[in-house]
C-alpha cells in the first residue's frame, strides 16, 4: 500500500482538536489533488482500518481519514476522555478545525467533505457553519432524521463504551 509516486503523500499523525489528540491519515498519489476529508459513521465507528478500499481514490484525491472523538486510534490514545463532551456540535467544530488544519498543512484553499451515516450529520453541520472551507459536500448513507437516528447512535455508543469497560463514560451518558 506504500505510495511511490514522485509527488505522493502518506502521513499519519495526531492533531490536537477539541482538547484531545485526534488521529488522521493522509494519503494520495499527488499531493496537488483535491483534499477529501472522510467522516466516518458511528459515532465511534471508524473506517480507517479499511482505508485500503479507498486506494483507487488516492489517484484523484488526497484522502484524509479521521478517527473522530471516541473512535479507534483517537479512543486508544485518549481513553474515556475522548468521549467526554461529545455532541454533534462539538464533533462538527472539531471537523471544522481539522479542515482549517488541512488547508494550511496541505496548502489548499478548500476541502471536499465526505460523510458516511453519522458523518453526514457532522458534515452537514460543518458545511452549514463554515461553507468557506469547503468546495463540495458528499453524503452517503445520508441521515435525514436525527430524532430517528438518535436511539441507534446512543445504543452503539453505549455498546462500544461497554466493550472498552469505560464505566465512567457510561455513567455520564445514562
Amino acid at each position: 500500500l506504500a505510495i511511490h509516486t514522485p509527488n505522493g503523500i502518506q502521513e499519519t499523525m495526531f492533531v490536537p482538536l477539541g482538547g484531545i489528540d485526534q488521529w488522521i491519515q493522509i494519503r494520495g498519489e499527488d499531493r496537488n489533488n483535491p483534499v477529501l476529508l472522510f467522516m466516518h459513521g458511528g459515532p465511534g465507528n471508524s473506517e480507517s482500518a479499511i482505508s485500503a478500499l479507498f486506494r483507487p481514490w488516492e489517484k484523484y484525491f488526497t484522502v484524509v481519514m479521521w478517527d473522530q472523538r471516541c473512535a479507534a486510534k483517537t479512543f486508544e490514545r485518549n481513553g474515556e476522555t475522548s468521549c467526554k463532551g461529545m455532541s454533534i456540535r462539538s464533533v462538527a467544530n472539531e471537523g471544522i478545525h481539522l479542515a482549517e488544519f488541512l488547508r494550511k498543512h496541505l496548502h489548499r484553499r478548500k476541502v471536499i467533505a465526505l460523510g458516511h451515516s453519522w458523518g453526514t450529520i457532522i458534515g452537514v453541520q460543518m458545511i452549514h457553519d463554515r461553507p468557506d472551507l469547503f468546495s463540495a459536500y458528499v453524503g452517503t448513507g445520508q441521515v435525514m432524521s436525527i430524532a430517528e437516528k438518535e436511539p441507534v447512535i446512543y445504543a452503539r455508543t453505549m455498546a462500544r463504551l461497554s466493550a472498552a469497560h469505560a464505566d465512567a463514560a457510561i455513567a455520564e451518558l445514562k
Side-chain angles (χ1 to χ4, degrees):
L1 294 176
I3 293 177
H4 298 292
T5 56
N7 205 28
I9 183 170
Q10 64 182 59
E11 300 177 352
T12 60
M13 68 187 81
F14 284 94
V15 178
L17 302 167
I20 61 169
D21 290 339
Q22 298 191 35
W23 187 87
I24 62 169
Q25 171 184 281
I26 305 170
R27 291 179 48 88
E29 292 184 16
D30 184 347
R31 66 182 63 240
N32 293 321
N33 280 339
V35 175
L36 181 72
L37 172 57
F38 182 82
M39 291 158 294
H40 61 72
N45 198 26
S46 171
E47 295 171 34
S48 295
I50 60 169
S51 64
L53 297 175
F54 290 84
R55 185 69 175 110
W57 296 17
E58 294 170 3
K59 182 174 183 171
Y60 306 101
F61 300 97
T62 299
V63 179
V64 179
M65 303 295 286
W66 167 34
D67 284 356
Q68 301 164 19
R69 177 175 289 278
C70 205
K73 291 186 181 183
T74 297
F75 182 84
E76 190 177 293
R77 177 78 166 274
N78 300 284
E80 292 179 33
T81 304
S82 73
C83 303
K84 291 184 177 171
M86 185 172 177
S87 68
I88 293 168
R89 173 67 59 197
S90 69
V91 177
N93 284 338
E94 291 163 3
I96 288 168
H97 291 298
L98 177 55
E100 290 170 336
F101 168 82
L102 292 171
R103 286 176 51 199
K104 289 177 188 161
H105 183 71
L106 299 171
H107 309 291
R108 290 289 168 277
R109 204 167 62 79
K110 296 195 178 211
V111 173
I112 299 168
L114 188 155
H116 171 246
S117 190
W118 155 264
T120 68
I121 299 170
I122 302 309
V124 167
Q125 187 68 56
M126 290 165 55
I127 297 292
H128 174 269
D129 292 351
R130 290 293 306 276
D132 59 301
L133 297 176
F134 304 97
S135 58
Y137 165 74
V138 179
T140 180
Q142 181 71 48
V143 175
M144 299 305 293
S145 172
I146 295 172
E148 290 176 15
K149 182 79 173 172
E150 232 170 41
V152 174
I153 292 170
Y154 179 79
R156 283 185 185 163
T157 301
M158 294 301 274
R160 291 184 192 289
L161 291 172
S162 180
H165 306 290
D167 297 332
I170 291 170
E172 190 174 319
L173 291 176
K174 282 189 176 183

